[in-house]
Amino acid sequence: MASIRDIAKQAGVSPGTVSRVLNEDPTLSVSDSTRTRILNTAKELEYHKAVRVNRQVQIITYASRRREMADPFHRELRLAIESEIKKLNLTLKKTLRIETGFKKQDLLDVKKAGAVLVIGNFSLDALQEIYHHNPNMVVINNKQVPDYIDAVYSDLEQAMYQLLDQIKAAYPKATVAYYGGMREERKLDGEETMESDARYHAYLSWCQQNEVMPMGHLIGWAREEGFEAVEQAETIPDILIAGNDMVAIGLIQALQQRGVSIPKEAGVIGFNDLDVNQYVTPSLTSIRIDIEQFGKSAVLMAKERIQKTRQSAMHVVIQTKQIERQSFSFKKN
């Protein structure tokens, strides 16, 4: 490919003059004939101006700073994203947190970014609005995304079905209860709506299909809420499934306070498989959601969009994995 020096040599001018003409420098004083000669030479040599790649990545999340610090899932996901951004030689812009709504300046920042990573459950209207301002977007941890927008997530509904089928095969007479919260969906004005979470929805559907009386408890996502649910329960089920690991840890602590032996009298299973699980006593059996892979895949997809090496949108489904520890065994002794 022809260079600025090649054009300068053939046109009989300096490389600096060629550069300023091609960049349409308004302060350059040059005759029309010289300008025309340079432009014609560039066209003849098939010169293509190098396009500067915008390597800035913008994160949009509904998690406040306090929530991000208190919730290990959000904290580990941010660390995974930051690590991959550094590895791929990209730069991270200031995070936009949708707590009280977008401002016009926020939308300009989104438009100026090379790519956007959207973390969490945003409404369809919100996703379309963000896409309108920057189509180089990847949505993380949200399955309900249009097929023309990149997304990376785990199929939690399928993971729950598989878990319940495995429990039934090993413990056909066991009572199984679910403890978790609702799915938050955020609009760009900060307004929230609550919907049924994929794990809870799958639990109810499985119980109906298998003619089992459901024991679903919509309590929230915090450790304290798991603790209170068991502390106030009249009876304890044989197996307790929590929608995330923090709730599961609360369940374990309350069971221990009530003198229930784990897993002999009651088994406990969590979701996410956070690092803290191996240090809980007894250590927590959990369904691993590969947060690190979320970060790696999302940032790589964003880089592909920035560099225009991929045109078609992709939905990447990260496989979940059952991690067995002391709080529950998938094989009956």
Side-chain angles (χ1 to χ4, degrees):
M1 187 178 78
S3 67
I4 285 178
R5 289 187 178 277
D6 295 330
I7 298 170
K9 183 177 180 180
Q10 187 163 321
V13 296
S14 70
T17 300
V18 173
S19 177
R20 294 174 72 183
V21 167
L22 295 178
N23 285 293
E24 301 178 356
D25 185 347
T27 66
L28 176 64
S29 178
V30 65
S31 67
D32 290 342
S33 61
T34 300
R35 186 184 302 274
T36 300
R37 186 168 71 254
I38 291 171
L39 294 175
N40 287 340
T41 302
K43 185 177 181 180
E44 179 184 338
L45 295 178
E46 297 182 345
Y47 172 78
H48 296 287
K49 184 178 177 181
V51 178
R52 182 177 293 180
V53 175
N54 184 348
R55 308 184 73 83
Q56 292 186 317
V57 178
Q58 177 85 66
I59 291 179
I60 299 176
T61 179
Y62 61 30
S64 64
R65 289 184 181 277
R66 179 178 294 182
R67 178 173 178 176
E68 197 169 84
M69 293 303 297
D71 187 335
F73 179 90
H74 286 279
R75 188 166 62 250
E76 290 182 20
L77 178 56
R78 169 170 282 278
L79 291 174
I81 289 172
E82 290 177 350
S83 175
E84 196 65 14
I85 282 178
K86 184 177 181 180
K87 179 180 176 182
L88 296 183
N89 196 29
L90 302 173
T91 58
L92 185 61
K93 288 169 63 69
K94 182 180 179 181
T95 297
L96 296 180
R97 302 180 187 278
I98 312 304
E99 300 173 73
T100 57
F102 256 8
K103 303 179 183 68
K104 288 184 178 180
Q105 183 60 44
D106 294 334
L107 293 173
L108 290 176
D109 288 341
V110 169
K111 196 168 187 176
K112 292 177 182 177
V116 181
L117 302 182
V118 181
I119 301 175
N121 303 319
F122 285 90
S123 68
L124 177 59
D125 287 345
L127 295 177
Q128 290 173 333
E129 179 73 6
I130 296 169
Y131 182 83
H132 174 73
H133 285 83
N134 194 327
N136 293 346
M137 63 184 284
V138 184
V139 181
I140 305 174
N141 195 34
N142 182 0
K143 184 180 179 182
Q144 298 180 24
V145 175
D147 59 5
Y148 58 85
I149 297 176
D150 285 343
V152 53
Y153 52 84
S154 289
D155 191 335
L156 301 184
E157 192 163 355
Q158 183 62 28
M160 179 61 85
Y161 274 116
Q162 292 175 348
L163 172 61
L164 292 168
D165 283 342
Q166 198 162 346
I167 289 173
K168 183 180 179 181
Y171 307 90
K173 296 183 179 181
T175 54
V176 182
Y178 173 81
Y179 302 81
M182 296 288 284
R183 177 182 183 271
E184 304 171 49
E185 187 172 273
R186 188 72 59 89
K187 296 181 180 180
L188 290 185
D189 62 4
E191 181 183 343
E192 282 185 354
T193 57
M194 308 300 286
E195 298 181 350
S196 177
D197 177 74
R199 286 153 288 202
Y200 180 65
H201 180 265
Y203 171 78
L204 295 181
S205 297
W206 185 91
C207 288
Q208 184 177 17
Q209 293 171 14
N210 288 271
E211 299 181 345
V212 173
M213 181 64 70
M215 301 171 65
H217 304 274
L218 292 176
I219 58 172
W221 299 108
R223 179 194 63 81
E224 294 80 4
E225 290 162 326
F227 185 93
E228 291 174 5
V230 169
E231 184 183 44
Q232 298 171 8
E234 294 183 6
T235 59
I236 303 297
D238 299 320
I239 301 170
L240 296 79
I241 301 175
N244 69 13
D245 292 333
M246 299 312 294
V247 171
I249 291 171
L251 298 177
I252 287 176
Q253 292 173 338
L255 288 170
Q256 291 173 326
Q257 181 171 288
R258 293 185 60 154
V260 177
S261 175
I262 307 170
K264 186 176 180 180
E265 295 178 292
V268 180
I269 305 167
F271 263 83
N272 289 354
D273 193 41
L274 301 172
D275 290 341
V276 70
N277 292 354
Q278 57 190 311
Y279 304 113
V280 178
T281 304
S283 56
L284 178 61
T285 294
S286 186
I287 307 304
R288 174 173 293 170
I289 299 173
D290 197 335
I291 299 173
E292 184 177 354
Q293 191 59 54
F294 274 11
K296 287 182 177 181
S297 296
V299 176
L300 178 58
M301 292 162 73
K303 185 176 182 181
E304 291 173 345
R305 288 300 198 178
I306 288 172
Q307 297 183 333
K308 302 187 185 304
T309 57
R310 175 174 55 84
Q311 302 300 321
S312 300
M314 296 195 312
H315 281 207
V316 176
V317 182
I318 307 299
Q319 181 184 13
T320 59
K321 185 178 180 181
Q322 296 173 352
I323 306 300
E324 183 175 314
R325 296 192 181 89
Q326 296 171 341
S327 68
F328 179 80
S329 174
F330 290 99
K331 295 181 180 179
K332 191 172 183 178
N333 297 329

